[in-house]
Amino acid sequence: MQVRTRHTPSFGVARLMLAPGEPVQVESGAMLATSYGVTVEARAQGGFLKSLARAALGGESFFVSTYTAPQQGGWVDVAPNLPGDLNVLELDGRIGWCVTKGCWLASASTVQVETQWGGFQNLFGGEGGFMTHVGGQGPVVVSCYGALDVVTLQPGEYVTIDTGHVVAYADTVQSRLRQMNQGIAQSLKSGEGLVFDFAGPGQVLTQTRNPRGLVTWLQANGLGARS
C-alpha cells in the first residue's frame, strides 16, 4: 500500500493506493470515496473480545472496515472527523506506536491493530488509559486536530504534554500518565487535567488543538448534543 495525502495541513485526505487484490484496514466511517470495484467488509478486528476492548476501552469503533482492491488494483480515500493534518507512520517491524483515541485512521493489512493499556484509566474524560497500539510492517495513517508537531526526545530527555494534545508516541518512549495538579479543585482552577510525562529516546506526535476544548466550547455556547 502507498499513501498519498492532499489538502494538508488543514483538511487532510489520504488516498490509499492498493495493488490488485490488496486489502487495507480503515476506521469505521472514515471512507470518503473509492475507485470502482473496491469491496468492503466490516470485521471485528482480532475477534469479538479484542474488538470489544477496542471499542469500550480504546474509544474506537467496534468494527474495522476492510477494503479490498479488484484485480486491476484501486484506491480508497479516507478522512478524519475533525479538520487537521495527517501523518504516515512507516512501521519497519521493530518499533510499534501507541495511538490515542480517535487518531488511528487506516493501516496496511500487514499492520496489527490492538488495544493496549497506557497507564491508569481516566474515568472523567476518556483520554489516556487504554490506547490503540499498532505494530508490524507497513504504513499507518494517523490524524490530528489542527497542525501536527513532532517532538524528538534524546535519551534521558523529558517532556510533559497534556493528554488532549497527544496523537501518538513510539514504543521506545517511556510514558507516565498523571494529574497536572494535586487534587480535583486545583485542576478545575487551572483548567488542566491529566498529562503525560514522556522520556526519550523516541518521537511523540502532538496536535495543536484539543478536541476536549472544542466540546467545551460547543457546550458553553449551547451547541452541544441534546437528548
Side-chain angles (χ1 to χ4, degrees), residues 23 61 180 227:
S61 301
M180 183 67 178
S227 59

Side-chain angles (χ1 to χ4, degrees), residues 47-168:
F48 178 80
L49 292 179
K50 287 188 176 181
S51 295
L52 184 62
R54 182 174 180 268
L57 304 177
E60 306 292 352
S61 301
F62 181 86
F63 292 103
V64 171
S65 298
T66 299
Y67 292 84
T68 304
Q71 289 307 307
Q72 67 269 26
W75 53 263
V76 179
D77 278 356
V78 294
N81 291 323
L82 295 175
D85 209 348
L86 299 176
N87 189 69
V88 182
L89 303 172
E90 293 289 349
L91 303 189
D92 59 4
R94 296 182 298 111
I95 299 175
W97 284 74
C98 289
V99 184
T100 58
K101 177 182 177 181
C103 292
W104 177 80
L105 200 60
S107 57
S109 59
T110 51
V111 172
Q112 291 80 51
V113 182
E114 298 179 331
T115 301
Q116 176 172 299
W117 175 252
F120 65 85
Q121 186 178 10
N122 176 13
L123 300 178
F124 302 101
E127 297 150 335
F130 292 92
M131 313 178 79
T132 297
H133 183 266
V134 291
Q137 290 183 301
V140 177
V141 183
V142 295
S143 64
C144 69
Y145 180 31
L148 182 81
D149 275 332
V150 180
V151 179
T152 301
L153 299 174
Q154 301 303 316
E157 184 179 2
Y158 295 83
V159 67
T160 299
I161 303 174
D162 182 275
T163 55
H165 288 275
V166 176
V167 173

Side-chain angles (χ1 to χ4, degrees), residues 156-215:
E157 184 179 2
Y158 295 83
V159 67
T160 299
I161 303 174
D162 182 275
T163 55
H165 288 275
V166 176
V167 173
Y169 57 91
D171 283 349
T172 56
V173 176
Q174 298 182 50
S175 66
R176 180 182 66 171
L177 189 62
R178 64 175 174 86
Q179 265 191 323
M180 183 67 178
N181 294 302
Q182 296 298 321
I184 295 177
Q186 287 297 320
S187 294
L188 291 175
K189 290 178 183 178
S190 67
E192 302 295 338
L194 294 178
V195 295
F196 273 114
D197 292 326
F198 293 110
Q203 290 187 331
V204 180
L205 306 183
T206 66
Q207 54 192 3
T208 59
R209 297 293 181 268
N210 187 338
R212 186 176 65 240
L214 174 62
V215 173

